[in-house]
Amino acid sequence: MLANRRTAAAIGAVALAGALLSAGPAQADSTSPSPAASAKSAPKGDGAKAICKRLPKTEARVNAAVTRLNGDATVAGSIARLEQRVTEAKNSGHTEIQTYLNDRLTFRKNLLPTLQKRQEDLKGVSTWCSAQGSK
């Protein structure tokens, strides 16, 4: 039974490899991109209208993330809660868990200034969008 599965898997792998190899040269021969592909590759603007349209949701999402990270130990996803978990893992002697959680804590602590900078940037974007009449 196991031999049949291995054989079937090997046949499937060979068939897939053959299909990929036969498709490769056909794709390599096309030197000019299709008109649809070239139209999608070059942006026609900076996307300001779309950014202004999404601004309220983006601001809410960033603000919620900053609030969560700054929360106390009762808030899931907060830095304080993760610090508490690291301490508990250390006290329990779970060094692998402590290392894993400590790496997550480092990432989370580094994320907070990035999100705070993004909040400042979004204030400027909001001002710009209001001046353009987009908000």
Side-chain angles (χ1 to χ4, degrees):
M1 188 70 157
L2 184 60
N4 288 340
R5 287 184 187 167
R6 286 184 182 167
T7 304
I11 291 172
V14 170
L16 178 61
L20 292 174
L21 288 174
S22 66
Q27 292 174 351
D29 289 340
S30 63
T31 55
S32 62
S34 67
S38 63
K40 289 185 179 182
S41 64
K44 299 211 188 278
D46 62 357
K49 187 182 288 188
I51 290 171
C52 290
K53 182 178 178 182
R54 291 189 311 264
L55 185 63
K57 287 183 180 181
T58 304
E59 286 176 321
R61 190 170 52 250
V62 171
N63 291 338
V66 169
T67 301
R68 183 176 52 250
L69 288 172
N70 285 326
D72 61 9
T74 62
V75 177
S78 69
I79 291 172
R81 184 176 180 135
L82 195 50
E83 286 173 338
Q84 180 182 358
R85 291 180 63 197
V86 169
T87 302
E88 289 173 4
K90 181 180 180 181
N91 293 340
S92 298
H94 301 147
T95 55
E96 291 81 8
I97 301 300
Q98 177 192 354
T99 301
Y100 171 72
L101 292 176
N102 204 27
D103 288 345
R104 286 180 57 194
L105 179 61
T106 300
F107 173 79
R108 208 168 280 182
K109 284 181 176 180
N110 291 332
L111 180 62
L112 186 58
T114 302
L115 290 175
Q116 290 169 335
K117 174 69 172 128
R118 193 163 293 163
Q119 278 180 319
E120 294 173 24
D121 292 345
L122 288 173
K123 287 178 187 175
V125 171
S126 178
T127 303
W128 185 88
C129 289
S130 295
Q132 302 301 314
S134 299
K135 189 177 175 188

